[in-house]
Amino acid sequence: EYDGDAVIRETRLTYHIFHLVFVLLIAAVPTIALNLPVGLVARLWANRRRKKALAASKVKIHARDVMLSEKIVVCIVLVPSLWCFYGLSMYFLTDMDGPTLALAIMSLPLFSYTGVVTAEAGVVDLKDIKPYLMRLFPSARRRMSALPETRRQLQADLRSFVKEIGPKLGEIYYKKDIDWEQIQADARKLGQIPPVHPSPESPAGEDGTDDAKKKDV
């Protein structure tokens, strides 16, 4: 009799593969027809603008912000334009009646969104499958096998560091409820923290100087 967790672990890779194939099949048609042309044009245009921004700037390193901004602008313009192009193509090149044509055009945003969502799910599945694929390589398998021991060693080092340094902090380490204002006041009395002097630009009366003068008068 198998343990439930063991069964899940053994079938996880198979599930990810079938789920990846399923979502890619769903996303294939809307992604290729609606999203891929816009994505390619946006990538080419954004890369071109990025090169111009890098040539004109002395502080930008990769200009990824320029690429993102340009991609957004291009997609805002091209996505509705592509829908209009498909609508006009169906109007002039097919014999659809009015209601069918309107339904087809109104379905384009839904299909485009479906392609984006399913493609995103496919990317997540690819990332989940990557560790299993990496285990096929001996070097990666050795590194992944050494990770639990490295993690345990880091935990032990961190605990020993806290046990060594923690008691030196006094009440900050032992008390659960800490009054930080009182700790700062005590530290100022001991000279560990320099006192805060009022700024010469501060308004009169904030540091009590005018009140003291009035009392002296």
Side-chain angles (χ1 to χ4, degrees):
E1 185 176 354
Y2 287 97
D3 184 19
D5 294 336
V7 173
I8 292 176
R9 285 195 299 269
E10 292 177 1
T11 59
R12 184 175 299 171
L13 178 59
T14 306
Y15 165 76
H16 284 310
I17 293 175
F18 279 103
H19 188 265
L20 175 62
V21 174
F22 177 72
V23 297
L24 289 181
L25 289 176
I26 295 177
V29 175
T31 299
I32 294 174
L34 299 175
N35 300 330
L36 184 60
V38 177
L40 292 177
V41 174
R43 181 184 293 271
L44 294 175
W45 175 259
N47 192 32
R48 182 179 177 183
R49 298 292 295 178
R50 181 184 68 86
K51 292 179 180 178
K52 288 185 177 180
L54 286 176
S57 176
K58 296 181 179 180
V59 297
K60 291 184 180 297
I61 300 176
H62 299 291
R64 292 193 177 94
D65 57 335
V66 177
M67 287 192 66
L68 181 60
S69 302
E70 293 295 332
K71 284 182 179 180
I72 293 174
V73 172
V74 171
C75 290
I76 290 174
V77 175
L78 289 187
V79 169
S81 302
L82 186 62
W83 295 343
C84 294
F85 171 76
Y86 283 138
L88 293 175
S89 300
M90 287 185 289
Y91 178 77
F92 289 107
L93 301 178
T94 63
D95 55 351
M96 294 182 181
D97 55 358
T100 304
L101 182 61
L103 179 61
I105 295 175
M106 293 175 62
S107 300
L108 291 177
L110 177 62
F111 292 152
S112 180
Y113 177 74
T114 303
V116 171
V117 173
T118 51
E120 183 180 0
V123 172
V124 173
D125 284 333
L126 283 176
K127 292 181 179 179
D128 292 337
I129 293 175
K130 183 179 179 180
Y132 298 99
L133 297 178
M134 294 298 294
R135 285 186 173 273
L136 299 176
F137 301 96
S139 59
R141 188 164 58 249
R142 287 193 296 269
R143 290 196 302 269
M144 296 178 69
S145 300
L147 283 178
E149 181 61 30
T150 304
R151 189 180 297 112
R152 285 192 292 269
Q153 185 62 38
L154 287 174
Q155 291 175 352
D157 293 342
L158 180 60
R159 291 193 181 99
S160 62
F161 176 78
V162 172
K163 289 181 180 179
E164 179 183 356
I165 302 299
K168 298 179 181 179
L169 300 177
E171 60 180 354
I172 297 178
Y173 177 74
Y174 291 105
K175 287 187 176 180
K176 294 183 178 180
D177 298 328
I178 301 174
D179 187 359
W180 290 103
E181 294 182 357
Q182 184 62 36
I183 292 175
Q184 291 178 356
D186 296 340
R188 289 193 183 96
K189 291 179 180 179
L190 297 175
Q192 297 177 357
I193 300 178
V196 179
H197 297 287
S199 174
E201 298 179 357
S202 61
E206 287 187 357
D207 55 351
T209 305
D210 290 353
D211 294 339
K213 289 182 179 179
K214 290 178 182 178
K215 290 181 181 179
D216 293 337
V217 174

